[in-house]
Amino acid sequence: MSIKYHLFENPPREKNKPSPTLHARPVIKGTLKTEELCELLSGKSTFSPGDVEGLLRALSDTLITELSRSHNVYLEGIGTFSVSLSCKPVENRNEIRSASVQVRNIVFRADTQLKKGVRAASLQRAPQPEQKKWDDPARKQRILSYLDQQHSITITEVMRLNHCNHSKAKKDLETLLANGEIRVIGGGRKKLYIR
């Protein structure tokens, strides 16, 4: 069991100058869906896949309920779920009403035990894939084809899919958004692009 990675060039700090440094990115084989996770957990316990799925649904519902009641939720060995809020900046407390405050995100902080377990995994450099250069229409078509199969994509997944840098991936997604071919849900680093 090892985490495979590739090395990628860092974006240049100055235009028209190549970057001398590299960084590692994990090679993601795919995303484990609920059904597959239930099968795996069932194989490690006396519960059927249906029991595990029911438990996961109950956990999701309970997280919603308890986070909505201003509780943080700590799962031993996994981590803590909490809520972050946002509102417009003000100088006077009287300028803010409840309607102006919104849930910004659900924050997850991994438990030390989970971090230690994953950090103990060995790392292995994967063979570097051939860097194909696709033109603009081909990259956009690859994104749309991916969305037809996976239903959502992140900017990081676009970078991996098309072997391109962050700015090119962002530009492709913005063009598809402007053309009405995709839409975005979430915000900040949690943006998901869907059909």
Side-chain angles (χ1 to χ4, degrees):
M1 178 170 61
S2 63
I3 298 172
K4 294 194 173 9
Y5 67 90
H6 290 308
L7 294 173
F8 292 87
E9 289 182 9
N10 287 322
R13 293 186 180 188
E14 297 176 34
K15 283 190 172 188
N16 303 325
K17 281 195 174 183
S19 176
T21 58
L22 302 171
H23 67 278
R25 270 193 230 151
V27 175
I28 304 300
K29 295 177 185 175
T31 301
L32 201 62
K33 305 273 176 143
T34 304
E35 186 178 318
E36 298 161 315
L37 183 62
C38 290
E39 288 290 335
L40 287 172
L41 291 172
S42 175
K44 295 182 177 205
S45 69
T46 58
F47 300 108
S48 71
D51 291 338
V52 174
E53 185 175 355
L55 180 63
L56 290 175
R57 287 181 192 272
L59 175 61
S60 175
D61 291 344
T62 304
L63 280 169
I64 292 167
T65 301
E66 295 308 318
L67 291 171
S68 299
R69 291 180 177 168
S70 291
H71 287 125
N72 289 345
V73 178
Y74 172 68
L75 300 176
E76 189 173 335
I78 296 176
T80 304
F81 294 87
S82 60
V83 173
S84 68
L85 303 176
S86 66
C87 65
K88 64 180 182 178
V90 295
E91 294 181 14
N92 185 335
R93 292 175 191 267
N94 296 331
E95 294 178 40
I96 287 287
R97 295 191 177 105
S98 293
S100 304
V101 181
Q102 300 168 350
V103 173
R104 180 171 183 220
N105 214 337
I106 295 172
V107 180
F108 173 73
R109 286 187 312 277
D111 190 62
T112 305
Q113 183 180 344
L114 181 64
K115 289 181 194 176
K116 283 182 181 177
V118 174
R119 286 181 181 147
S122 65
L123 294 168
Q124 182 180 4
R125 190 165 163 186
Q128 198 71 17
E130 183 181 327
Q131 295 290 326
K132 293 186 178 179
K133 299 287 183 188
W134 287 284
D135 61 7
D136 287 0
R139 287 195 316 272
K140 291 170 190 150
Q141 186 54 50
R142 287 173 57 80
I143 293 169
L144 295 174
S145 296
Y146 182 93
L147 285 171
D148 288 339
Q149 295 175 354
Q150 300 296 325
H151 308 299
S152 68
I153 195 166
T154 65
I155 197 160
T156 303
E157 288 167 334
V158 172
M159 291 165 59
R160 286 191 193 110
L161 177 69
N162 288 332
H163 307 290
C164 63
N165 61 27
H166 186 274
S167 60
K168 194 170 281 192
K170 185 176 179 183
K171 181 181 171 194
D172 289 343
L173 289 168
E174 286 173 352
T175 302
L176 290 169
L177 275 168
N179 293 342
E181 296 179 78
I182 62 172
R183 59 189 176 102
V184 65
I185 55 175
R189 292 183 169 198
K190 305 292 184 193
K191 275 186 186 174
L192 279 177
Y193 297 88
I194 60 175
R195 278 288 225 173

